[in-house]
Amino acid sequence: FERGVERFATRAAAILLAACIPSVNPFYQEKDVVFDPHLVGEWQEKDKANAPEIWKFEQSTNNAYDLTVTEEGGKTGKFRATLFKLKQEQFLDLIPTDVDYATNQASLVAFSMFPGHLLMRVGQTDPELKIAITDYDWLGKYLQKTPKALSHHTEYENMVLTAETRDLQKFVLNHLGTNELFKEYGTMVRRTN
């Protein structure tokens, strides 16, 4: 478990920005949105002070957060993060807000791209932040085996969830078990300067 915690932030960034399965629709409805002031602030991976990945949550509008992820080496990503509750479980819906495409890439490629919704499970926000990233490998394999379980579209090897929000929520709640939709919780602590 400790070894998994050590690599949590790096794996989370890799999944958020690379091999993920985004959703066209959000994972929350307005009635599900909650605001937790404990989430606001800067967080870093627990027990990794050398070159931690930093997650900075700032209060935004409509009970959402502006999230800036700064990786080792200074790479950054900006997201709109919405904390929401389904039954007694808490989740974060992340959608990129600042997407830069390669400068040598044809504009037509950028026109076909869209910022998709990504999902994380939140175990706690105080005194430590416990987050479980979506296991996109599990999700992809599950949808290949049972394609009618959740509406999606696959183009080449890229999958996009097309299900309506209610169907997404039902699917999430049905797959909260061990070795299903979410990986083990990783732990982040408040950053001290």
Side-chain angles (χ1 to χ4, degrees):
F1 177 76
E2 286 300 317
R3 189 174 179 201
V5 169
E6 289 176 8
R7 292 182 301 211
F8 165 72
T10 303
R11 286 185 305 158
I15 286 173
L16 285 175
L17 302 174
C20 64
I21 301 173
S23 173
V24 172
N25 294 305
F27 288 89
Y28 66 91
Q29 299 178 52
E30 289 304 317
K31 67 178 181 64
D32 306 318
V33 176
V34 294
F35 185 83
D36 183 347
H38 293 111
L39 194 54
V40 175
E42 289 189 7
W43 300 87
Q44 72 181 43
E45 185 177 4
K46 187 175 183 176
D47 300 325
K48 188 170 182 184
N50 295 354
E53 184 170 291
I54 307 299
W55 288 30
K56 182 179 180 182
F57 288 91
E58 298 175 280
Q59 185 172 354
S60 185
T61 57
N62 299 327
N63 287 328
Y65 306 85
D66 292 323
L67 169 62
T68 303
V69 175
T70 305
E71 298 175 351
E72 182 179 356
K75 291 182 181 179
T76 61
K78 294 185 181 286
F79 302 86
R80 166 60 65 93
T82 303
L83 184 67
F84 67 99
K85 212 173 210 184
L86 298 178
K87 296 193 176 181
Q88 298 305 312
E89 300 290 332
Q90 288 194 110
F91 304 91
L92 274 173
D93 179 300
L94 303 178
I95 188 163
T97 57
D98 184 22
V99 181
D100 293 323
Y101 299 100
T103 56
N104 64 345
Q105 179 174 276
S107 297
L108 192 56
V109 173
F111 294 151
S112 67
M113 307 297 274
F114 78 98
H117 293 266
L118 304 174
L119 183 67
M120 300 184 117
R121 187 177 185 184
V122 179
Q124 72 179 50
T125 59
D126 188 48
E128 298 176 326
L129 176 59
K130 294 194 181 286
I131 294 182
I133 59 177
T134 299
D135 187 338
Y136 290 109
D137 185 50
W138 177 89
L139 179 58
K141 289 176 181 174
Y142 185 87
L143 292 178
Q144 284 177 347
K145 288 179 187 174
T146 54
K148 293 184 179 182
L150 190 64
S151 294
H152 63 282
H153 175 76
T154 304
E155 193 72 37
Y156 298 103
E157 293 182 13
N158 300 315
M159 187 179 291
V160 176
L161 301 178
T162 58
E164 295 295 325
T165 298
R166 287 182 186 152
D167 294 329
L168 291 168
Q169 292 180 341
K170 183 178 177 183
F171 184 85
V172 168
L173 290 174
N174 285 337
H175 296 282
L176 293 176
T178 304
N179 298 321
E180 286 193 272
L181 187 56
F182 295 97
K183 295 188 177 201
E184 288 184 19
Y185 285 109
T187 304
M188 299 184 90
V189 294
R190 289 203 178 273
R191 186 171 187 231
T192 56
N193 295 328

